[in-house]
Amino acid sequence: MGTLADLISSTLVFSVALIFAALGGVFSERSGVFNIGLEGMMTAGAFGAAIASFYMETDGGATTSSPWVGLIAGVACGLVFALLHAYATVSLKADQTIVGVVINILAVAVTLYLVKIIFEGAGDTAQLQQVFAKWPIPLLSDIPFLGRAFFNSYPTTYIAYILVPVSSYLLFRTPFGLRLRSVGEHPGAADTVGINVTKYRYIGVLISGALAGLGGATITLTTTSNFSHSTISGQGFIAIAALIFGRWNPYGVFGAAFFFGMAQALRNFLTRFEFSQSIPTEFLYMLPYILTLIVLAGAVGKSVRGPAAAGEAYDPSKR
Amino acid sequence: MNKAAEIFNKPSTYIPFIAIVLGLLCGGIVMWIGGYDPLEAYGALWQTVFGTKYDFGETIVAITPILFTGLAVGFAFRAGIFNIGADGQYIIGMTAATFIGLKVHLPAFIHAPLALIVGMLCGALWGALVGWLKAYRGVNEVISAIMLNWIALYLSNYILSDFLVKKGEQKTPNIDESASLSIGWLKDFMEGARMDWGIWIGLLCVAIFYVLLWRTKQGYELRAVGHNADAAKAAGINIKASFIKTMMISGAFAGLGGVFSVLGVFHYQVVQAASAGYGFDGIAVALLGGNHPVGILLGAILFGGLTYGSAGMNFEADVPSEIVRIVIGSIIFFVASHGLIRTVIQPLFKKRKSRERKGADMNGNVG
């Protein structure tokens, strides 16, 4: 049981960033805006966290508050790119896929450009001294098995525990959520009853940027402790997969992201066992992606359909 | 009005040009903020691309792979599929070509074509998998292609490290001379730049792209599906077959890109931790080129030139090479946000407003 608990615990480390980013994707796509740019927004978040924490450390000495400042900076950096995304796709009615691709290109380029300027030519930021440590939750972490698996983790994990039900509540139990979803399903009808389509789409995209930034910051502050070109390498796209896999639903997204995280944790985990010697490591790396394909291909018949109006700019004249 | 002026006055034609200017301007501003001299940097870029025959040849080497992936993405776009998987198809094509180049020993007149065709076919099949999953299993092509990109990377690494690479090394030995698609005399002429058949076959593919889509019945069907899959289905077009066909052709283009990178340029393949990202650059190229083969060619020339030139900017003007990615990103941003450009230059084109409206959907508008 102890090893299984450890597996879950290390799964959570890999999953949390995906959960944040994919949750962001839920808000954006539910409001009717595809967000291929999650990868870029995560990159921005990882960069913001690394830089802000670095300055906190050099200016104020290493304090325990510096990773929190980093986390907030990550959110802010994600928001900057989300704003660009929203302006282009909602206000200028640009193609959402294209803008997402642009965000990915720009975020990587701008952050590395700044890193090279700030660190005088180096391709990565200095290693942070103060990052998040594991916080065992009093009482809960003493529960056999569950405590070790779920309640002995980084603070960001607990934020994810809170954000998933909160997102679900927001989306499905509040007027705000109803409006956001209606804008994504049928903007024309929503507009007719007086819902401001532009406003809700901006909100959807901005939330996605904030959450993706949070996800990127999480990776810097719990896994890598610095930022380089490879800090975010494909997690944003996996988050998109988790988003579709989880059917645009916060709990589904949590499950899907957990699944991807577990597949990642599994490959480190399996090396502990004798039998894994006979499996080429590349196949362990492939495992999560193959499993996803099999599951999705098996799910034929059931509707795997996103919000109806996602992908199209809203044009009142075509109502 | 004569025909040339007419073409230029279509928004789909002039917008990329304005976008390029604005993109370079953005890059200049970013450099200026970072404390660099934009003029010196762009001068260095120009010098790097056109300075010597060697540099010019190497620029063509940089153009070739993104021309192929650009064609792959553009072709699929035309038929209503967003092929984000060109990356994986590229890797699979490359690995298949390396395998044939190393493991099969044949005379040159058959060896090189065989490696090329096998690489192309493997890319096509990898693409077809996406089409099949979409057509028969209802899997969203974006998600399956992203998964297949990673699977392709690791599958390729497995094939390389277990069959082709010597223990303890990261790259394969060179392929047999008989499988090489380099052009020796052209290489000598270009002062040693790695010239190969890639760019010529690429140009041929530009023509094939056009003929297939606009001059054949099949192509008409593919475009019909791209415009409106439901209407195409109602008209009796087999849209499932069309998805698979589209992705096969798209994958073949991307696979060819990988083939030439091994057989023409490097002659060996390296075990990679992450892909080189040519598939994603292909998306950018296709978007800039408005998914038209000639536009894609021009887009590939521009991005290939900028990418190769960025090394010189870094070397001579000390500007981080990322600036070129910022320029590329900005250019696509302005192409996508053509509404912005149109508002700004509307007064200039007021008289031609009616024509403009007719062409308004021509630009990058995909299903």
Side-chain angles (χ1 to χ4, degrees), chain A residues 53-293:
Chain A
S53 304
F54 171 74
Y55 279 118
M56 281 296 286
E57 281 178 10
T58 46
D59 290 353
T63 59
T64 44
S65 66
S66 79
W68 291 101
V69 175
L71 210 58
I72 293 164
V75 170
C77 288
L79 274 174
V80 171
F81 284 94
L83 195 62
L84 185 65
H85 194 295
Y87 175 66
T89 55
V90 183
S91 298
L92 296 175
K93 303 188 183 6
D95 186 285
Q96 297 171 358
T97 311
I98 305 182
V99 174
V101 173
V102 168
I103 297 286
N104 290 339
I105 294 176
L106 280 183
V108 174
V110 169
T111 52
L112 283 178
Y113 178 73
L114 291 175
V115 166
K116 283 186 180 171
I117 289 178
I118 295 170
F119 292 91
E120 282 150 14
D124 49 6
T125 67
Q127 206 71 17
L128 295 171
Q129 304 303 316
Q130 274 291 332
V131 291
F132 283 123
K134 285 195 173 178
W135 278 9
I137 292 189
L139 294 176
L140 284 177
S141 63
D142 295 333
I143 306 172
F145 182 67
L146 288 181
R148 187 161 164 187
F150 291 99
F151 299 109
N152 184 11
S153 192
Y154 297 104
T156 43
T157 311
Y158 309 130
I159 299 177
Y161 290 163
I162 299 165
L163 274 181
V164 171
V166 166
S167 302
S168 183
Y169 181 80
L170 259 180
L171 278 171
F172 299 109
R173 293 279 182 274
T174 63
F176 164 79
L178 182 65
R179 289 182 193 134
L180 189 88
R181 285 183 293 127
S182 71
V183 163
E185 287 292 337
H186 201 311
D191 195 10
T192 316
V193 296
I195 297 170
N196 186 337
V197 176
T198 305
K199 178 178 135 193
Y200 277 92
R201 288 197 163 176
Y202 259 90
I203 293 175
V205 176
L206 289 178
I207 293 178
S208 84
L211 288 176
L214 186 63
T218 303
I219 291 178
T220 301
L221 296 169
T222 63
T223 315
T224 62
S225 302
N226 80 339
F227 173 79
S228 73
H229 69 98
S230 62
T231 302
I232 307 294
S233 57
Q235 286 97 328
F237 292 108
I238 298 178
I240 293 171
L243 160 71
I244 299 174
F245 202 13
R247 308 213 166 167
W248 294 270
N249 179 316
Y251 289 109
V253 158
F254 180 87
F258 190 81
F259 169 77
F260 284 120
M262 176 164 287
Q264 268 182 309
L266 211 53
R267 69 185 183 207
N268 302 337
F269 189 73
L270 283 180
T271 52
R272 292 188 197 176
F273 299 102
E274 199 64 37
F275 74 90
S276 72
Q277 302 300 322
S278 56
I279 309 171
T281 43
E282 288 86 0
F283 283 98
L284 294 179
Y285 289 149
M286 267 186 239
L287 196 67
Y289 310 111
I290 293 178
L291 284 176
T292 312
L293 274 184

Side-chain angles (χ1 to χ4, degrees), chain B residues 23-36:
Chain B
L24 289 170
L25 208 62
C26 274
I29 293 169
V30 173
M31 278 189 269
W32 179 68
I33 294 172
Y36 303 105

Side-chain angles (χ1 to χ4, degrees), chain A residues 87-88 92 94 97-98 102 105-106 109 112-113 116 233-234 237 241 280 282-283 285-286 289-290 293 296-297 300, chain B residues 30-31 36 82 137 143-144 147 150-151 154-155 158 161 280 283 287 320 322 325-326 329 332-333 336-337 340:
Chain A
Y87 175 66
L92 296 175
T97 311
I98 305 182
V102 168
I105 294 176
L106 280 183
L112 283 178
Y113 178 73
K116 283 186 180 171
S233 57
F237 292 108
E282 288 86 0
F283 283 98
Y285 289 149
M286 267 186 239
Y289 310 111
I290 293 178
L293 274 184
L296 284 173
V300 72
Chain B
V30 173
M31 278 189 269
Y36 303 105
F82 178 33
R137 311 306 298 176
I143 178 169
S144 63
M147 299 295 125
W150 290 99
I151 297 173
Y154 295 126
L155 182 65
Y158 166 70
S161 50
F280 291 94
I283 298 173
L287 297 173
E322 278 73 27
R325 307 292 296 171
I326 297 178
I332 310 167
F333 179 83
S337 315
L340 188 70

